[in-house]
Amino acid sequence: MPTPTRGFLGRRRERDPRLPPGQYDVGADWPVLTAEPTPRITPETWSITVDGQVEQPTTWSWDDVHRLPPSEYRGDIHCVTTWSKFDTRFSGVSVDTLLDAARPTAEAQFVMATSKTGYTTNLPLADVTGGRAWLVWDFDGRPLTPEHGGPVRLLVPHLYFWKSAKWISKLTLLRRDQPGFWEQNGYHDRGDPWRQQRYQGD
Protein backbone atom coordinates (compact mmCIF):
# COMPACT_ATOMS: atom_id res chain seq x y z
CA MET A 1 0.00 0.00 0.00
CA PRO A 2 1.21 3.53 -0.73
CA THR A 3 2.32 5.56 2.28
CA PRO A 4 -0.21 8.31 3.17
CA THR A 5 1.03 11.80 2.48
CA ARG A 6 1.49 14.34 5.25
CA GLY A 7 -1.58 16.22 4.07
CA PHE A 8 -3.80 13.23 4.84
CA LEU A 9 -2.24 12.56 8.22
CA GLY A 10 -2.41 16.18 9.35
CA ARG A 11 0.08 18.03 11.45
CA ARG A 12 1.09 16.39 14.69
CA ARG A 13 -0.08 18.42 17.69
CA GLU A 14 2.55 19.31 20.23
CA ARG A 15 1.59 18.89 23.87
CA ASP A 16 1.41 22.21 25.68
CA PRO A 17 4.32 22.32 28.15
CA ARG A 18 2.00 23.95 30.70
CA LEU A 19 0.02 20.71 31.01
CA PRO A 20 1.10 18.42 33.85
CA PRO A 21 1.07 14.67 33.07
CA GLY A 22 -2.39 13.21 32.63
CA GLN A 23 -4.11 16.60 32.25
CA TYR A 24 -6.05 18.17 29.37
CA ASP A 25 -6.77 21.80 28.49
CA VAL A 26 -10.36 22.63 29.42
CA GLY A 27 -10.29 25.80 27.32
CA ALA A 28 -12.88 28.45 28.19
CA ASP A 29 -14.81 26.08 30.46
CA TRP A 30 -14.45 25.91 34.23
CA PRO A 31 -16.10 22.72 35.54
CA VAL A 32 -17.99 22.96 38.83
CA LEU A 33 -17.08 20.14 41.21
CA THR A 34 -17.97 20.01 44.89
CA ALA A 35 -18.33 17.46 47.66
CA GLU A 36 -21.28 19.25 49.28
CA PRO A 37 -24.23 21.56 48.53
CA THR A 38 -23.28 25.09 47.51
CA PRO A 39 -23.86 27.51 50.39
CA ARG A 40 -25.10 31.05 49.90
CA ILE A 41 -22.81 33.25 51.96
CA THR A 42 -23.16 37.02 51.82
CA PRO A 43 -20.05 39.19 52.12
CA GLU A 44 -21.57 40.80 55.21
CA THR A 45 -21.62 37.46 57.07
CA TRP A 46 -18.27 36.14 55.82
CA SER A 47 -15.06 36.23 57.84
CA ILE A 48 -11.64 34.56 57.86
CA THR A 49 -9.82 33.46 61.01
CA VAL A 50 -6.16 32.46 61.38
CA ASP A 51 -5.59 30.51 64.58
CA GLY A 52 -3.75 27.53 66.06
CA GLN A 53 0.02 27.83 66.33
CA VAL A 54 0.14 31.61 66.04
CA GLU A 55 1.07 34.36 68.49
CA GLN A 56 -1.90 36.56 67.56
CA PRO A 57 -5.07 34.70 66.48
CA THR A 58 -6.90 37.10 64.20
CA THR A 59 -10.27 37.34 62.46
CA TRP A 60 -10.97 39.62 59.52
CA SER A 61 -14.39 40.62 58.21
CA TRP A 62 -15.11 41.26 54.53
CA ASP A 63 -14.37 44.96 55.01
CA ASP A 64 -11.25 44.24 57.06
CA VAL A 65 -9.70 41.94 54.48
CA HIS A 66 -10.38 44.44 51.71
CA ARG A 67 -8.30 47.00 53.59
CA LEU A 68 -5.24 44.76 53.37
CA PRO A 69 -2.74 45.17 50.52
CA PRO A 70 -4.27 43.56 47.40
CA SER A 71 -2.57 40.77 45.50
CA GLU A 72 -3.24 38.98 42.23
CA TYR A 73 -2.51 35.59 40.70
CA ARG A 74 -2.18 35.15 36.95
CA GLY A 75 -1.49 31.64 35.73
CA ASP A 76 -2.81 28.12 35.45
CA ILE A 77 -4.91 25.87 37.69
CA HIS A 78 -5.15 22.07 37.69
CA CYS A 79 -7.89 19.74 38.94
CA VAL A 80 -7.35 16.17 40.11
CA THR A 81 -10.14 15.12 37.71
CA THR A 82 -7.57 15.81 34.92
CA TRP A 83 -8.62 19.23 33.58
CA SER A 84 -6.33 22.25 33.54
CA LYS A 85 -7.29 25.86 32.87
CA PHE A 86 -4.67 28.25 31.50
CA ASP A 87 -4.16 31.98 31.99
CA THR A 88 -6.56 32.51 34.88
CA ARG A 89 -6.64 35.78 36.80
CA PHE A 90 -7.68 35.91 40.44
CA SER A 91 -7.65 38.92 42.78
CA GLY A 92 -7.61 38.97 46.56
CA VAL A 93 -5.01 38.99 49.30
CA SER A 94 -1.88 36.92 49.80
CA VAL A 95 -1.98 34.35 52.61
CA ASP A 96 1.42 35.76 53.58
CA THR A 97 -0.29 39.01 54.56
CA LEU A 98 -2.65 37.22 56.95
CA LEU A 99 0.16 35.17 58.46
CA ASP A 100 2.31 38.26 58.95
CA ALA A 101 -0.45 39.64 61.17
CA ALA A 102 -1.10 36.37 63.04
CA ARG A 103 2.62 35.57 63.46
CA PRO A 104 3.08 31.77 63.24
CA THR A 105 5.08 30.20 66.06
CA ALA A 106 8.27 28.23 65.43
CA GLU A 107 6.27 25.01 65.95
CA ALA A 108 3.87 25.71 63.06
CA GLN A 109 4.56 23.33 60.18
CA PHE A 110 1.14 22.62 58.61
CA VAL A 111 -2.17 24.32 57.88
CA MET A 112 -5.71 22.99 58.03
CA ALA A 113 -8.00 25.01 55.77
CA THR A 114 -11.66 24.92 56.82
CA SER A 115 -14.65 26.02 54.77
CA LYS A 116 -17.91 27.51 56.00
CA THR A 117 -19.49 24.14 55.15
CA GLY A 118 -17.07 22.20 57.38
CA TYR A 119 -14.96 20.92 54.47
CA THR A 120 -11.27 20.67 55.35
CA THR A 121 -8.00 20.15 53.52
CA ASN A 122 -4.46 19.97 54.91
CA LEU A 123 -1.34 21.64 53.52
CA PRO A 124 2.29 22.04 54.50
CA LEU A 125 2.87 25.60 55.70
CA ALA A 126 5.56 25.92 53.01
CA ASP A 127 2.85 25.50 50.33
CA VAL A 128 0.86 28.54 51.46
CA THR A 129 3.77 30.93 52.14
CA GLY A 130 6.34 32.67 49.98
CA GLY A 131 3.78 34.07 47.53
CA ARG A 132 2.26 30.66 46.72
CA ALA A 133 -1.30 31.02 48.08
CA TRP A 134 -4.10 33.59 48.19
CA LEU A 135 -7.58 34.26 49.47
CA VAL A 136 -9.43 35.37 46.34
CA TRP A 137 -12.80 37.01 45.69
CA ASP A 138 -12.54 38.09 42.04
CA PHE A 139 -12.05 35.98 38.92
CA ASP A 140 -11.25 37.76 35.65
CA GLY A 141 -12.33 41.05 37.18
CA ARG A 142 -15.72 39.82 38.44
CA PRO A 143 -16.87 38.61 41.86
CA LEU A 144 -16.22 34.92 42.39
CA THR A 145 -19.52 33.03 42.03
CA PRO A 146 -20.84 30.79 44.83
CA GLU A 147 -20.42 27.72 42.60
CA HIS A 148 -16.70 28.45 42.36
CA GLY A 149 -16.26 29.20 46.04
CA GLY A 150 -17.48 32.77 46.40
CA PRO A 151 -17.52 35.05 48.16
CA VAL A 152 -13.96 33.95 49.04
CA ARG A 153 -11.96 30.81 48.35
CA LEU A 154 -8.43 29.68 49.08
CA LEU A 155 -6.19 29.53 46.00
CA VAL A 156 -3.12 27.28 46.00
CA PRO A 157 -2.56 27.03 42.23
CA HIS A 158 0.60 24.89 42.24
CA LEU A 159 -1.35 22.00 43.82
CA TYR A 160 -4.42 20.10 42.61
CA PHE A 161 -7.49 22.27 43.02
CA TRP A 162 -9.15 20.33 45.85
CA LYS A 163 -6.49 22.00 48.02
CA SER A 164 -7.93 25.41 47.08
CA ALA A 165 -10.83 25.15 49.54
CA LYS A 166 -14.04 26.89 48.50
CA TRP A 167 -15.96 29.17 50.91
CA ILE A 168 -12.87 29.47 53.11
CA SER A 169 -13.46 30.56 56.70
CA LYS A 170 -10.42 29.48 58.72
CA LEU A 171 -6.73 28.64 58.48
CA THR A 172 -5.49 26.70 61.50
CA LEU A 173 -1.73 26.31 61.89
CA LEU A 174 -0.62 22.94 63.28
CA ARG A 175 2.51 21.31 64.68
CA ARG A 176 1.68 18.00 62.98
CA ASP A 177 -0.09 17.11 59.78
CA GLN A 178 -3.73 16.00 59.96
CA PRO A 179 -5.75 14.70 57.00
CA GLY A 180 -8.62 16.76 55.67
CA PHE A 181 -11.85 15.55 54.04
CA TRP A 182 -10.54 14.10 50.78
CA GLU A 183 -7.26 13.03 52.36
CA GLN A 184 -9.22 10.85 54.79
CA ASN A 185 -10.92 9.33 51.75
CA GLY A 186 -7.77 8.26 49.91
CA TYR A 187 -6.51 11.41 48.24
CA HIS A 188 -2.85 12.38 48.48
CA ASP A 189 -1.76 14.53 51.41
CA ARG A 190 0.03 17.05 49.17
CA GLY A 191 -1.36 16.85 45.62
CA ASP A 192 1.40 18.03 43.28
CA PRO A 193 0.06 17.87 39.67
CA TRP A 194 3.54 17.53 38.17
CA ARG A 195 4.14 14.41 40.27
CA GLN A 196 0.60 13.11 39.68
CA GLN A 197 -0.01 12.92 43.43
CA ARG A 198 -3.69 12.09 43.15
CA TYR A 199 -4.06 9.28 45.66
CA GLN A 200 -2.26 7.97 48.72
CA GLY A 201 0.82 6.10 47.55
CA ASP A 202 1.27 8.12 44.33
Side-chain angles (χ1 to χ4, degrees), residues 23-127:
Q23 298 290 114
Y24 72 94
D25 176 9
V26 78
D29 293 336
W30 185 2
V32 176
L33 301 169
T34 184
E36 55 214 331
T38 298
R40 301 292 164 174
I41 305 165
T42 63
E44 294 77 20
T45 63
W46 175 86
S47 65
I48 180 69
T49 296
V50 178
D51 63 7
Q53 295 298 311
V54 296
E55 295 178 7
Q56 185 65 50
T58 307
T59 297
W60 293 264
S61 68
W62 175 264
D63 289 339
D64 292 336
V65 82
H66 278 73
R67 294 188 190 101
L68 298 174
S71 186
E72 188 174 85
Y73 170 74
R74 291 175 181 254
D76 311 328
I77 56 176
H78 311 287
C79 183
V80 71
T81 59
T82 73
W83 59 261
S84 292
K85 186 171 180 63
F86 297 145
D87 303 320
T88 65
R89 179 166 61 95
F90 291 91
S91 300
V93 62
S94 172
V95 170
D96 289 313
T97 301
L98 305 183
L99 295 181
D100 285 346
R103 301 197 304 275
T105 67
E107 291 80 15
Q109 298 295 322
F110 297 92
V111 177
M112 183 68 77
T114 302
S115 299
K116 195 78 168 178
T117 59
Y119 172 87
T120 56
T121 189
N122 56 308
L123 302 117
L125 184 58
D127 277 319

Side-chain angles (χ1 to χ4, degrees), residues 125-174:
L125 184 58
D127 277 319
V128 298
T129 54
R132 307 184 85 191
W134 293 260
L135 264 60
V136 295
W137 46 78
D138 282 354
F139 173 72
D140 278 352
R142 296 176 180 171
L144 194 63
T145 64
E147 292 76 17
H148 287 300
V152 184
R153 78 177 296 155
L154 180 64
L155 179 68
V156 191
H158 65 283
L159 300 180
Y160 282 128
F161 220 47
W162 91 81
K163 294 291 186 176
S164 296
K166 297 179 179 180
W167 316 300
I168 190 70
S169 63
K170 187 164 63 172
L171 298 173
T172 301
L173 275 64
L174 307 170

Side-chain angles (χ1 to χ4, degrees), residues 80 121-122 159-160 162-163 177 179-180 182-192 195-202:
V80 71
T121 189
N122 56 308
L159 300 180
Y160 282 128
W162 91 81
K163 294 291 186 176
D177 199 12
W182 282 118
E183 295 81 13
Q184 293 178 52
N185 287 279
Y187 277 45
H188 199 277
D189 283 323
R190 183 152 185 265
D192 184 338
R195 296 183 179 182
Q196 299 192 76
Q197 292 176 336
R198 291 183 167 88
Y199 307 108
Q200 297 292 343
D202 286 348

